[in-house]
Amino acid sequence: MIYLDNAATSWPKAPGVAEAITRFLTDVGANPGRSGHRLSIEAARMVSTVRELTAGLFGAPDPLRVVFTLNVTHAINVALHGLLRPGDHVVTSSVEHNSMIRPLNTLGQAGISFTAVPCASDGSLDPADIEAAITPATVMIALTHASNVLGTLLPSADIGAIARKRGLLFLLDAASTAGCVPIDMPADKIDLLAFTGHKALLGPTGTGGLVIGERVDPARIMPVFQGGTGSRSATETQPPFLPDLLECGTLNTTGLAGLGAALAWITAAGINRIQTTCRAHTRLLLERLHAVPGVGVYGPRNPRLQTATVSFNIKGMSPSQAGQLLDERFGILCRVGLHCAPRAHVTAGSFPQGTIRFSPGIFTTHDDITTAVDAVACLSREACCE
Amino acid sequence: MSEQFVILFPTSAHVMRAEKLLKDAGLSCRLIPVPRQLSSDCGICLIVLQEEAETACALLKDRRVDFDTVAAIPAQ
Ligand SMILES: Cc1ncc(COP(=O)(O)O)c(C=O)c1O
């Protein structure tokens, strides 16, 4: 079996993740921040370590501004619903995941508008087009760091600079880049960083967060959820301080224990080394696919301009049929069809049939990739002869 | 018997952050359950040496970790 669906969720996870989860459940288990006994303290210490590691990975100076959520979708919703008010306008791109576009569309009913700036068909985005879409009502630029369909990296640092210059907040959806592309919140001028723990961060599902930059005043954020935090228990209103303002209800401590192990592994391995490995995977995958007759590859087709996510189609075969054959006949697991980002497929010209998406991960081997592309070549030959 | 200083925090995340900052700065500090005579919601607090209390508080202020009250208690 060859797993090439790391853009959906990474697998296998980082070494030590499963053990950390087991250890937490077996030896600790208690609720952090709710009690003063030793196991509650140990749980709180574990969560705190994960906060510190997260802040460290993204260059965030204050770990108390790391708010844990269940995934990036949850984090994006916390940011958009929490900060936008009627009359506000948001600038975004045409390759966003539904996790960005759906909340923005829902907010449309509350008088909040957005402009999705068109990307080129390879997903690339000209920062000047973002700047041109800014209106007097614009308060935020909200963008994915990379297309989850095409892999294309968007020029986040340039756009962060534009946001800063124009006095706007910059929200970055780092779902597909956190853990495999260097991210430095202060340098890239990111005010709100939404991440998910289960993709390139190599942690378990049910983990993620929103890192809130220094320019965002917590008093401006309306919490989407309110409830128990273990703090200010005598009052019936939400505490005003971070992280409790946005972190209520018992945390996914089990998942965070695993995420902590993953972050420690990534920090030790080094993001730059991980990025180099992923680029090598991308280069090999692109070279091999390019050589297969009947295969058309979408996206920038350049390992420096994209993540290790490659979308393609086989002439004469639907993506869904290809996906089924790759799994059943070759044991190759990937995602096919529309990848929760309809506008990205429209941008690339792959709507509505979608694409076949191969997404190797850090643990994918050279052989995995060549074997998978051989299988694609086999299917392509059959499709053209039938 | 010298007094020790108890620093209370609004939430456990702040206690943990403060503990790390103080230890990283080479200050002596200990995490304890909130003493009976005091009260705090999160159930835990930090205890520091009296002679380091001022430095500790200044550091926490500088790094913007909220703390509620500082109380002196006799060392156990
Ligand atoms: C760019 C992007 N945004 C958002 C998501 C959604 O992630 P999650 O399901 O973890 O919220 C994904 C992945 O599915 C993604 O690639």
Side-chain angles (χ1 to χ4, degrees), chain A residues 45 214 231-233 242 244, chain B residues 10-11 14 17 19 41 64:
Chain A
R45 203 166 257 145
E214 304 293 312
S231 54
R232 297 277 157 99
S233 289
L242 292 172
D244 296 26
Chain B
T11 183
H14 290 225
R17 174 72 179 145
E19 185 192 32
D41 287 320
R64 287 186 291 165

Side-chain angles (χ1 to χ4, degrees), chain A residues 7-8 71-74 76 97 99 144 146-148 173 175-176 196 198-199:
Chain A
N71 47 50
V72 78
T73 303
H74 178 181
I76 292 170
H97 192 275
S99 58
T144 186
S147 162
N148 68 308
D173 167 3
S176 52
T196 210
H198 67 97
K199 296 185 196 262

Side-chain angles (χ1 to χ4, degrees), chain A residues 214-241:
Chain A
E214 304 293 312
R215 288 170 78 232
V216 182
D217 178 4
R220 285 181 48 203
I221 308 176
M222 256 298 291
V224 177
F225 297 106
Q226 300 87 35
T229 55
S231 54
R232 297 277 157 99
S233 289
T235 64
E236 291 184 334
T237 52
Q238 196 67 8
F241 46 81

Side-chain angles (χ1 to χ4, degrees), chain A residues 66-348:
Chain A
V66 174
V67 169
F68 290 121
T69 61
L70 294 177
N71 47 50
V72 78
T73 303
H74 178 181
I76 292 170
N77 273 272
V78 166
L80 296 178
H81 286 273
L83 284 159
L84 298 173
R85 302 288 179 269
D88 287 350
H89 174 259
V90 178
V91 175
T92 187
S93 84
S94 75
V95 294
E96 298 302 314
H97 192 275
N98 273 336
S99 58
M100 184 72 80
I101 290 294
R102 285 181 176 172
L104 284 175
N105 273 318
T106 298
L107 286 165
Q109 294 159 21
I112 293 153
S113 58
F114 72 92
T115 302
V117 175
C119 299
S121 62
D122 65 357
S124 60
L125 178 62
D126 184 347
D129 292 344
I130 289 281
E131 186 154 24
I134 296 170
T135 74
T138 307
V139 296
M140 183 188 281
I141 300 175
L143 214 62
T144 186
H145 196 184
S147 162
N148 68 308
V149 175
L150 304 167
T152 322
L153 286 160
L154 301 192
S156 56
D158 295 341
I159 292 169
I162 291 171
R164 192 60 57 96
K165 186 178 76 185
R166 304 290 294 261
L168 310 175
L169 290 179
F170 182 33
L171 163 64
L172 193 67
D173 167 3
S176 52
T177 52
C180 60
V181 177
I183 294 173
D184 185 320
M185 288 183 69
D188 300 343
K189 302 188 168 54
I190 301 161
D191 297 306
L192 297 143
L193 184 80
F195 69 94
T196 210
H198 67 97
K199 296 185 196 262
L201 285 175
L202 306 174
T205 49
T207 59
L210 182 67
V211 190
I212 298 168
E214 304 293 312
R215 288 170 78 232
V216 182
D217 178 4
R220 285 181 48 203
I221 308 176
M222 256 298 291
V224 177
F225 297 106
Q226 300 87 35
T229 55
S231 54
R232 297 277 157 99
S233 289
T235 64
E236 291 184 334
T237 52
Q238 196 67 8
F241 46 81
L242 292 172
D244 296 26
L245 172 70
L246 302 176
E247 226 176 50
C248 54
T250 298
L251 285 171
N252 176 15
T253 45
T254 308
L256 290 174
L259 180 62
L263 289 168
W265 187 87
I266 285 174
T267 305
I271 290 283
N272 291 318
R273 249 185 61 207
I274 291 172
Q275 186 180 39
T276 303
T277 304
C278 291
R279 278 182 176 159
H281 290 340
T282 313
R283 185 171 301 112
L284 179 66
L285 182 53
L286 287 167
E287 276 169 15
R288 294 293 169 118
L289 280 174
H290 183 70
V292 180
V295 165
V297 179
Y298 301 88
R301 288 171 279 189
N302 178 339
R304 298 205 151 261
L305 303 180
Q306 67 183 101
T307 60
T309 289
V310 176
S311 264
F312 61 95
N313 264 314
I314 300 172
K315 204 170 159 201
M317 184 176 284
S318 73
S320 55
Q321 195 187 358
Q324 193 184 348
L325 292 171
L326 284 167
D327 181 3
E328 286 175 1
R329 276 177 50 193
F330 300 97
I332 291 158
L333 315 186
C334 64
R335 183 166 175 186
V336 295
L338 297 171
H339 312 294
C340 298
R343 221 183 266 250
H345 288 281
V346 173
T347 299

